[in-house]
Amino acid sequence: MTEQKMNVESFNLNHTKVKAPYVRLADIKAGQNGDRIHKYDLRICQPNRAHMEMPALHSLEHLMAELSRNHSDKVVDISPMGCQTGFYIAMINHDNYDDVLTIIERTLNDVLDAEEVPACNEMQCGWAASHSLDGAQALARDLLSKRNEWTSVFA
Ligand SMILES: [Zn+2]
């Protein structure tokens, strides 16, 4: 691995040392008017050992994007990582890590109760055929079963 510090925070994270699942504060950015964005790394699968299948990941993205906003108006964005091992969650003017865990937990419980994936149609989504509610719920169930592990990032 390169010794040089890179621009992207997660490129400086040694992915062989982490232990999924976890929730990690990855970055804080302040705007010129004092607004602050807290960016979290929600790691679901162990890097280079496991990954989410795209339909399940995609449905979990839709579900968390829609349902998390029932629990907080500070959610800016929830986006999947290209390596399919987790999501980034950006919050504005919200610096309470424990509350973020609670928001994620409540959102995942809502995922388990969901009867359909929101916006999985060609009008509202860019790949409406690639969804799996069952897959998303299996991911949510597994993540919730390891709730007490979320706060420890490194093995
Ligand atoms: Zn979509």
Side-chain angles (χ1 to χ4, degrees):
M1 204 170 75
T2 176
E3 298 292 310
Q4 191 190 338
K5 191 162 165 58
M6 298 188 70
N7 291 332
V8 177
E9 190 275 344
S10 71
F11 293 168
N12 297 308
L13 174 73
N14 185 340
H15 286 67
T16 69
K17 300 294 186 199
V18 299
K19 149 280 12 72
Y22 65 77
V23 180
R24 182 180 69 93
L25 177 63
D27 189 38
I28 303 172
K29 277 243 182 331
Q32 58 185 6
N33 296 314
D35 293 308
R36 283 154 65 88
I37 300 277
H38 282 61
K39 178 183 171 183
Y40 294 89
D41 161 1
L42 166 60
R43 194 71 58 156
I44 296 174
C45 297
Q46 184 64 29
N48 300 296
R49 296 289 178 271
H51 63 271
M52 294 176 273
E53 296 301 328
M54 194 51 83
L57 171 154
H58 187 190
S59 293
L60 187 58
E61 179 213 353
H62 276 229
L63 286 156
M64 289 200 301
E66 181 66 19
L67 299 171
S68 63
R69 289 170 165 95
N70 293 333
H71 300 293
S72 175
D73 62 358
K74 306 295 187 188
V75 178
V76 176
D77 188 41
I78 300 183
S79 304
M81 298 172 183
C83 57
Q84 300 171 230
T85 63
F87 290 84
Y88 284 111
I89 301 175
M91 309 286 292
I92 189 164
N93 296 329
H94 181 290
D95 62 359
N96 187 327
Y97 174 80
D98 288 332
D99 192 53
V100 169
L101 300 183
T102 301
I103 291 166
I104 295 169
E105 182 179 0
R106 288 178 178 162
T107 299
L108 292 173
N109 276 308
D110 290 348
V111 170
L112 295 184
D113 291 339
E115 289 174 2
E116 60 180 17
V117 178
C120 66
N121 59 71
E122 293 192 7
M123 185 84 82
Q124 294 175 289
C125 172
W127 193 7
S130 179
H131 278 283
S132 169
L133 177 60
D134 286 348
Q137 289 176 326
L139 291 169
R141 200 173 294 112
D142 188 52
L143 203 46
L144 284 167
S145 75
K146 295 169 181 161
R147 171 66 177 82
N148 61 347
E149 299 176 27
W150 294 3
T151 55
S152 52
V153 176
F154 296 100

